Amino acid sequence: MILNKKKSLNVILLGVLLCFTSNTICAQNWELKKSPLKTKFADNVTPENVLPEYPRPQMVRKEWKNLNGLWQFQPGTWQNEPYPKGKLNRNILVPFAVESALSGVMEQHERLWYRREFTIPTDWSKQKVLLHFGAVDYECEIFINDKSIGKHVGGYDPFSFDITDFLKQGTQTITIKVFDPTSKEGIPRGKQSLNPQGIMYTSVTGIWQTVWLEPIPEQHIVDFKMTPDIDQSVLNLSVNSANQKGLTYTAIVKDNGKVIATVTSKPLSPTAIKIKNPKLWSPDSPFLYDLTINLTDQNGNIIDRVDSYFGMRKISIVKDGEFYRMHLNNKFVFQYGPLDQGFWPEGLYTAPTEEALKYDLEVIKKLGFNMVRKHIKVEPYRWYYWADKLGLMVWQDMPSANSYTDNTPPIDKEAFTNDLTRMIKTHWNSPSIVSWIVFNESQGQHDIEKNTMLAKGLDPYRVVNEGSGGTNIGVGDINDIHAYPPPASPKSEHQALVCGEFGGIGYQKGTLWNPNDLMEYVKVKNEKEYFGLYEDFATMLTKFKSNKGLSGAVYTEIADVEIELNGIMNYERQLKIDANHMYKVNQSVIHDNIFEYVYDVFPTAENISSKWQYTTKKPGNNWIKMNFDDSKWETGYSGFGTKDTPGVIHATEWNTNEIWLRKEFELNNFNSNLLDLLKLRVHHDDDCEIYINGILAAKLDNYTSSYQNVEISKDAKKALLLKGKNTIAINCKQKTGGQYIDAGLIIVSDKKLKIK
């Protein structure tokens, strides 16, 4: 069929229009994928308004452009695959990881390509243009207009490129190539796993924090470092600029809009700004000063300006009586808060909205905590901004390499050191961060002294914890024990003491991520049971603070994560318990004291190993009786178990499925009035039964990861002989994981006693 020229032209134009419209519709084709759970915040996410907030609150410039939104995307194939030309074949919502529901993809890929177009505002024409990334996991190469401009390795730190020389007239194209091996290599990855299970969760690949553009002058402020000194009432400031010749800067400090200090200096010349009668930052009063830094040329013209804030606070370790304690602003403040994993059901590493990012911290404050442990993940700048504003001390973990549940490839030590260094340098200025945690438990723990001293050298103004719940060789400021379910207190002659994890009370409320796979340390049926147990733990913490010098504790955890049910909130961010009740309990832990005096009748291995008769072969039925002949049993010293079981004091190897122990003890000259104060002191892993003179004294299920005080049954107390020999008999069974048994007998009183 032949058309006339006019009609033919109309058809062609219509075709072009339809093609353009189709591509536009395709480009906007995004929907939230269906994940097992979803928070209320996910409904507020649209491609046109994704995390629009300025991403760097402590270094603010007026002009910037957000590149969050819908990008082109396609999975990669192999390391040296050809550079893809034209449009990529799918879409992804940035900055949500490809595995997340909010990305619109919700698939697992090791390699990714991203692409989008953008334009440069016309009023930026005489300035340089920086391209910023909040974080990309893990390796990436950046292309502007199809030319490679650089690479970055590391999944948790912000980075930027000067793209000025790669720009052209009109529309620009950015392309990103990503590779993330997750658990296939020994890189820092925190709780990410290609095979989520137990305490390991869904992996995160690609862009997961805001991407943005910023115009800067040729001579500009590169960065600056703020170190408060409350003892001298000064803020130490050092400013770094590009092309420093002939430049000066003026720093202006404001208190609620009123200028209280002004100082002029040169870049790279450290400056002490006097702050008269400083208002100190603390959880009870999180006051922040405003700071403006103006960079001026040799003619006195302001060529660059950034706005910031700072808090005047000090964190230190001080000999306080017989203990070393953590002090805030030269006073002992018990630091108590929850473990915060920073995972979201629909966004994984990325909170759906600013409201969501802020919400968890608001809830932590509402519950009466004064601290939060950010668990083996580094958050975007804005998370620390809200911790600064709301007043929460932060224990910041370094993301660990390797885990407990996956195959463990050799640790990439260079990657770990690089990421540790960048984490400390990147978040130096945040007043809320009071502690760096180098390692979590034994997850990728290596070169402890080297890495701890690196952290201390980089930041001598904060507390450094060499290993939360892991091996402690005494080079850090903190001795940190993990204990489940009840808390515990470690010992040290020169370090402050903390319980870096405890609790894990499993309380199901709301929809489950996977009903067929649940994980908790101890389970309760209702809120009454929850608070009954939680208040017992709170009382123990208060006693440890008063009597054993405990400086802080971390409760597991603020929110459920995937199959974990240990949260105060569920994974959908709904509170499971009464917030006002928990507020009162938590405030009592922080502010109250309960003094307790403990006397050994016969000690556990905590103090001195004692001799027991034991066997791993099933004995006769009368093994619990006083007159049972155990002379043919073996003799060993407490405690019994395997060396790698958490929290143990190991003396005798026990690695079979079951063990039986017996020991004689006397209560000569024991005042009968003390019987009510008598308790067992036990560390068991797993189930155990304890008998005194043939009567069941305690039946303990599951396991503990530390020693705890246990009530003795009334019948067993009645069976005790105040004169002559008594017998304690124990049976412990190994079910899974580590194994250990040790027991002692103690007197616990709230008053000093005269005991011979």
Side-chain angles (χ1 to χ4, degrees):
M1 181 173 66
I2 299 175
L3 302 175
N4 63 48
K5 289 185 178 181
K6 183 176 180 181
K7 190 171 183 180
S8 177
L9 179 62
N10 288 340
V11 170
I12 292 171
L13 290 174
L14 179 61
V16 170
L17 180 60
L18 287 172
C19 181
F20 176 80
T21 304
S22 175
N23 287 337
T24 302
I25 293 171
C26 179
Q28 298 303 315
N29 183 22
W30 169 88
E31 63 178 1
L32 174 69
K33 291 288 186 179
K34 185 173 177 57
S35 62
L37 296 175
K38 185 182 74 169
T39 68
K40 63 181 180 180
F41 307 103
D43 294 332
N44 296 325
V45 177
T46 66
E48 296 75 30
N49 193 33
V50 186
L51 296 173
E53 295 77 17
Y54 189 83
R56 195 181 56 194
Q58 276 193 294
M59 189 175 174
V60 178
R61 287 190 176 96
K62 183 179 179 181
E63 297 292 330
W64 72 294
K65 184 171 184 176
N66 196 334
L67 295 185
N68 290 344
L70 212 59
W71 289 48
Q72 300 165 39
F73 146 81
Q74 69 186 36
T77 53
W78 63 297
Q79 182 177 356
N80 296 318
E81 66 182 306
Y83 180 84
K85 297 181 179 180
K87 290 186 178 295
L88 305 183
N89 56 29
R90 300 170 66 182
N91 292 323
I92 187 170
L93 191 62
V94 169
F96 299 106
V98 67
E99 297 93 338
S100 71
L102 277 169
S103 72
V105 180
M106 203 176 173
E107 297 170 0
Q108 191 177 82
H109 296 287
E110 189 175 83
R111 298 182 183 275
L112 306 174
W113 288 96
Y114 292 85
R115 181 167 290 159
R116 69 157 288 170
E117 294 180 340
F118 65 94
T119 57
I120 300 295
T122 55
D123 56 356
W124 292 11
S125 59
K126 295 182 179 181
Q127 301 184 79
K128 288 181 172 291
V129 178
L130 295 183
L131 171 64
H132 293 279
F133 294 86
V136 179
D137 197 5
Y138 174 69
E139 299 178 12
C140 65
E141 183 174 6
I142 314 301
F143 302 82
I144 296 294
N145 296 322
D146 302 326
K147 294 180 180 179
S148 176
I149 65 167
K151 298 179 180 180
H152 180 77
V153 178
Y156 296 94
D157 59 299
F159 58 97
S160 61
F161 294 98
D162 182 349
I163 64 173
T164 310
D165 294 340
F166 297 88
L167 299 175
K168 62 182 183 179
Q169 293 293 324
T171 301
Q172 320 292 329
T173 300
I174 177 174
T175 305
I176 305 173
K177 180 183 181 181
V178 170
F179 168 62
D180 183 13
T182 310
S183 52
K184 292 181 180 179
E185 296 182 11
I187 61 173
R189 59 185 172 91
K191 286 294 191 79
Q192 300 180 62
S193 174
L194 296 174
N195 180 31
Q197 55 181 299
I199 63 170
M200 301 301 292
Y201 321 128
T202 303
S203 58
V204 171
T205 300
I207 301 171
W208 67 274
Q209 290 187 30
T210 291
V211 186
W212 53 294
L213 298 170
E214 180 183 41
I216 55 170
E218 180 75 29
Q219 293 179 300
H220 60 273
I221 297 168
V222 175
D223 57 28
F224 53 93
K225 190 174 182 179
M226 300 181 288
T227 307
D229 184 343
I230 69 168
D231 297 324
Q232 300 299 320
S233 298
V234 299
L235 175 74
N236 293 300
L237 176 66
S238 178
V239 176
N240 181 23
S241 68
N243 302 322
Q244 298 159 6
K245 188 175 181 180
L247 300 181
T248 59
Y249 73 84
T250 300
I252 304 166
V253 179
K254 294 182 180 180
D255 175 348
N256 290 317
K258 180 181 178 182
V259 176
I260 62 166
T262 302
V263 66
T264 299
S265 184
K266 294 182 179 181
L268 295 183
S269 297
T271 304
I273 304 175
K274 188 69 176 179
I275 309 294
K276 294 182 179 179
N277 302 315
K279 298 177 181 178
L280 302 185
W281 183 97
S282 72
D284 292 334
S285 179
F287 183 82
L288 297 172
Y289 290 92
D290 294 316
L291 175 69
T292 297
I293 303 174
N294 291 323
L295 187 68
T296 56
D297 62 19
Q298 55 191 1
N299 297 318
N301 300 314
I302 297 176
I303 55 176
D304 193 16
R305 166 180 170 162
V306 295
D307 292 313
S308 187
Y309 67 85
F310 64 91
M312 293 294 290
R313 68 100 184 90
K314 174 185 176 183
I315 185 74
S316 56
I317 305 292
V318 177
K319 184 70 180 296
D320 191 344
E322 61 180 306
F323 304 110
Y324 283 88
R325 296 184 187 266
M326 285 195 292
H327 278 211
L328 176 67
N329 300 332
N330 296 324
K331 295 179 181 179
F332 173 58
V333 176
F334 190 78
Q335 300 185 24
Y336 185 38
L339 197 72
D340 182 0
Q341 313 265 17
F343 271 78
W344 296 83
E346 63 281 277
L348 300 179
Y349 259 14
T350 311
T353 64
E354 177 83 353
E355 183 187 6
L357 188 74
K358 180 182 178 184
Y359 178 78
D360 281 3
L361 295 172
E362 289 178 316
V363 170
I364 292 169
K365 285 288 288 188
K366 182 179 179 180
L367 294 172
F369 294 110
N370 64 3
M371 175 269 286
V372 55
R373 179 182 171 196
K374 176 49 62 177
H375 194 39
I376 48 181
K377 177 198 176 188
V378 184
E379 291 283 2
Y381 281 126
R382 295 199 66 86
W383 187 89
Y384 301 95
Y385 166 73
W386 286 116
D388 296 338
K389 291 279 288 183
L390 294 169
L392 281 167
M393 292 179 282
V394 175
W395 295 5
Q396 177 60 54
D397 289 13
M398 169 63 196
S400 57
N402 294 337
S403 69
Y404 301 120
T405 55
D406 297 312
N407 293 327
T408 53
I411 296 165
D412 189 332
K413 295 183 178 182
E414 182 180 0
F416 185 90
T417 299
N418 289 340
D419 281 14
L420 175 63
T421 300
R422 290 195 294 252
M423 177 184 75
I424 293 173
K425 288 184 175 180
T426 299
H427 294 285
W428 172 282
N429 288 333
S430 178
S432 59
I433 299 176
V434 298
S435 174
W436 303 113
I437 298 176
V438 181
F439 294 106
N440 176 65
E441 297 177 350
S442 60
Q443 289 182 309
Q445 196 169 19
H446 67 281
D447 298 339
I448 299 172
E449 182 173 4
K450 174 187 172 183
N451 285 294
T452 302
M453 297 312 294
L454 171 64
K456 289 175 70 69
L458 288 169
D459 189 352
Y461 302 100
R462 287 184 174 92
V463 170
V464 176
N465 183 335
E466 67 193 77
S468 183
T471 300
N472 185 295
I473 62 174
V475 294
D477 301 307
I478 299 290
N479 193 331
D480 181 332
I481 190 172
H482 289 184
Y484 285 101
S489 183
K491 291 183 177 181
S492 176
E493 295 182 355
H494 67 280
Q495 296 171 304
L497 311 175
V498 305
C499 182
E501 291 180 27
F502 80 96
I505 301 175
Y507 177 29
Q508 180 182 332
K509 197 169 185 180
T511 309
L512 298 176
W513 180 267
N514 182 357
N516 299 317
D517 192 4
L518 306 177
M519 187 266 177
E520 65 266 311
Y521 293 94
V522 60
K523 190 174 183 178
V524 297
K525 297 177 182 177
N526 52 51
E527 187 173 338
K528 182 178 180 181
E529 286 187 10
Y530 185 100
F531 272 115
L533 196 54
Y534 188 85
E535 289 172 8
D536 287 344
F537 295 164
T539 300
M540 293 175 69
L541 284 177
T542 309
K543 291 177 180 178
F544 293 155
K545 175 182 67 171
S546 305
N547 298 281
K548 297 188 176 183
L550 197 70
S551 280
V554 178
Y555 177 77
T556 302
E557 59 193 313
I558 187 58
D560 295 346
V561 186
E562 298 193 358
I563 70 169
E564 283 195 46
L565 294 180
N566 308 314
I568 300 170
M569 296 187 287
N570 60 26
Y571 203 16
E572 297 170 293
R573 295 316 201 265
Q574 298 162 336
L575 274 168
K576 300 179 184 179
I577 48 80
D578 180 71
N580 292 330
H581 189 168
M582 179 160 277
Y583 178 90
K584 293 176 182 177
V585 176
N586 291 341
Q587 286 291 294
S588 71
V589 172
I590 293 168
H591 297 294
D592 293 352
N593 285 295
I594 301 176
F595 290 97
E596 182 178 79
Y597 301 91
V598 178
Y599 306 89
D600 284 328
V601 176
F602 69 86
T604 64
E606 294 171 288
N607 296 324
I608 184 171
S609 290
S610 56
K611 187 167 66 174
W612 293 71
Q613 297 298 110
Y614 77 97
T615 182
T616 57
K617 298 178 182 179
K618 189 172 181 66
N621 294 331
N622 294 324
W623 71 276
I624 65 174
K625 302 296 184 182
M626 296 177 65
N627 58 0
F628 179 81
D629 182 9
D630 57 24
S631 60
K632 294 183 180 180
W633 288 15
E634 295 183 72
T635 299
Y637 285 83
S638 59
F640 297 80
T642 54
K643 293 180 181 179
D644 57 353
T645 301
V648 305
I649 302 170
H650 181 271
T652 303
E653 185 74 6
W654 163 50
N655 55 20
T656 62
N657 291 331
E658 203 162 357
I659 191 171
W660 293 261
L661 305 118
R662 285 173 55 88
K663 178 182 179 61
E664 289 186 343
F665 64 94
E666 295 184 2
L667 297 177
N668 291 340
N669 301 315
F670 195 88
N671 188 328
S672 60
N673 294 330
L674 297 178
L675 285 178
D676 288 340
L677 305 178
L678 204 62
K679 295 180 186 293
L680 289 163
R681 178 86 174 151
V682 187
H683 183 177
H684 66 98
D685 187 348
D686 294 292
D687 299 350
C688 78
E689 293 181 352
I690 303 174
Y691 297 85
I692 293 178
N693 294 343
I695 305 299
L696 183 65
K699 186 176 185 298
L700 307 173
D701 295 329
N702 298 320
Y703 70 94
T704 60
S705 51
S706 64
Y707 289 84
Q708 62 177 321
N709 298 342
V710 176
E711 295 292 338
I712 301 171
S713 69
K714 292 181 179 179
D715 289 340
K717 279 188 178 181
K718 289 179 181 179
L720 281 165
L721 302 177
L722 297 183
K723 293 183 179 181
K725 294 181 178 179
N726 296 274
T727 301
I728 181 171
I730 303 174
N731 171 226
C732 188
K733 298 177 180 179
Q734 161 64 3
K735 295 193 298 186
T736 185
Q739 59 189 97
Y740 189 72
I741 182 64
D742 185 23
L745 203 59
I746 59 174
I747 296 169
V748 181
S749 173
D750 59 357
K751 299 177 182 178
K752 284 188 176 181
L753 302 174
K754 293 182 179 180
I755 297 178
K756 295 181 181 180

